[in-house]
């Protein structure tokens, strides 16, 4: 699969979300960070904003739910128009049931791991998912420094995906920029969230294209991608 770049609107101007979505024309997905001030110490937006944004853009929405009780709330984000919904495993009571419910409602089901959460206990759940998100910062805020100690976890997850022959996308989120994206791609990521690196650029659409080129080039030279 070609590398995908998902600009995070956390770094956009929330008063001009429709225009900010257009500013990254050509992006694969729009990454929408939902924070409830409980699971993370920050508060962003909820279902009504996602509904409006889904009407305002043709770019599919990738909703990253950093909230308590995703079992209750995640299905509502599918109904609001999200094409992919990510819940945190640390917050989910029944991750398999929830992933099945998200898929049954017609969206891609994705599960996120905070930096201190290992992948190994969840190996058997991977076939239930369309995407796995490895956080490369502590969730809660944009503009944080990339945690390169997450690279071995990305590598081990890519090995598990290959071992089971899965079509699972592997997303990284947090501190992804021109100086870190190649290491993520080489380790095995294929979906890249970038907030400040895109919306902080003079030309956000050009930043998306440049990041994609960097990721594609790094992937082409990576050992994990040789048989793809
Ligand atoms: O989930 C997130 C934070 O919890 C954001 O998606 C992420 O931080 C993007 O911002 P940046 O690229 O600036 O790090
Ligand atoms: Fe995110």
């Amino acid at each position: 699969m070609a590398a995908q770049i998902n600009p995070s609107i956390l770094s956009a101007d929330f008063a001009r979300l429709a225009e900010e979505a257009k500013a990254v024309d050509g992006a694969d997905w729009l990454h929408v960070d939902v924070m409830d001030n409980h699971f993370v110490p920050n508060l962003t937006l909820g279902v009504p904003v996602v509904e409006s944004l889904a009407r305002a853009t043709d770019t599919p929405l990738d909703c990253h739910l950093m909230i308590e009780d995703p079992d209750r709330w995640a299905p509502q984000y599918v109904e609001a128009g999200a094409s992919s919904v990510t819940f945190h495993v640390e917050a989910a009571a029944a991750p398999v049931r929830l992933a099945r419910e998200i898929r049954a409602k017609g969206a891609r089901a994705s599960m996120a791991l905070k930096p201190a959460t290992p992948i190994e206990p969840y190996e058997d759940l991977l076939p239930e998912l369309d995407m796995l998100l490895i956080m490369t910062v502590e969730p809660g805020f944009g503009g944080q420094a990339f945690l390169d100690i997450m690279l071995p976890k990305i590598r081990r997850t890519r090995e598990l995906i290959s071992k089971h022959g899965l079509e699972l996308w592997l997303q990284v989120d947090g501190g992804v920029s021109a100086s870190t994206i190649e290491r993520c791609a080489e380790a095995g990521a294929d979906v890249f969230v970038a907030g400040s690196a895109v919306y902080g650029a003079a030309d956000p659409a050009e930043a998306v294209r440049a990041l994609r080129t960097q990721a594609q080039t790094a992937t082409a030279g990576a050992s994990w991608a040789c048989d793809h």
Side-chain angles (χ1 to χ4, degrees):
M1 188 194 65
Q4 301 188 69
I5 307 295
N6 301 10
S8 166
I9 58 161
L10 187 60
S11 299
D13 179 351
F14 274 33
R16 301 169 42 250
L17 283 183
E19 289 161 58
E20 295 282 66
K22 286 193 184 72
V24 291
D25 205 29
D28 298 281
W29 296 77
L30 212 52
H31 183 85
V32 181
D33 288 304
V34 176
M35 304 186 187
D36 66 352
N37 210 21
H38 291 275
F39 182 71
V40 289
N42 198 2
L43 185 66
T44 55
L45 52 86
V47 169
V49 175
V50 171
E51 262 169 6
S52 297
L53 194 56
R55 281 195 299 269
T57 179
D58 292 333
T59 307
L61 303 184
D62 159 34
C63 280
H64 175 194
L65 305 184
M66 286 161 275
I67 60 173
E68 298 288 4
D69 203 3
D71 305 72
R72 175 179 172 197
W73 296 107
Q76 295 189 34
Y77 285 88
V78 184
E79 287 160 19
S83 301
S84 176
V85 175
T86 300
F87 60 87
H88 268 267
V89 69
E90 302 88 354
V96 173
R97 186 179 64 198
L98 181 53
R100 289 182 180 179
E101 195 179 344
I102 292 168
R103 280 178 158 178
K105 284 187 168 291
R108 295 178 60 87
S110 163
M111 192 172 84
L113 309 180
K114 288 166 72 169
T117 305
I119 180 62
E120 285 75 12
Y122 305 107
E123 179 174 350
D124 292 343
L125 266 68
L126 297 181
E128 301 287 338
L129 303 169
D130 297 298
M131 184 168 78
L132 191 94
L133 164 53
I134 294 184
M135 289 303 298
T136 42
V137 297
E138 286 298 338
F141 299 92
Q144 301 182 73
F146 178 77
L147 292 173
D148 44 10
I149 56 162
M150 291 299 110
L151 291 167
K153 183 156 81 175
I154 299 169
R155 250 178 244 118
R156 291 197 305 275
T157 305
R158 175 53 65 188
E159 283 165 13
L160 292 177
I161 293 170
S162 301
K163 174 179 152 191
H164 293 284
L166 300 172
E167 289 289 321
L168 184 71
W169 294 355
L170 181 49
Q171 185 178 63
V172 284
D173 182 9
V176 176
S177 69
S179 53
T180 57
I181 195 166
E182 288 165 346
R183 279 179 282 159
C184 294
E186 279 158 12
D190 54 9
V191 184
F192 306 86
V193 176
S196 42
V198 168
Y199 281 105
D203 182 345
E206 176 52 31
V208 168
R209 287 191 290 273
L211 287 169
R212 192 187 286 119
T213 301
Q214 270 190 293
Q216 303 272 45
T217 307
T219 302
S223 55
W224 69 267
C226 283
D227 51 351
H228 283 62

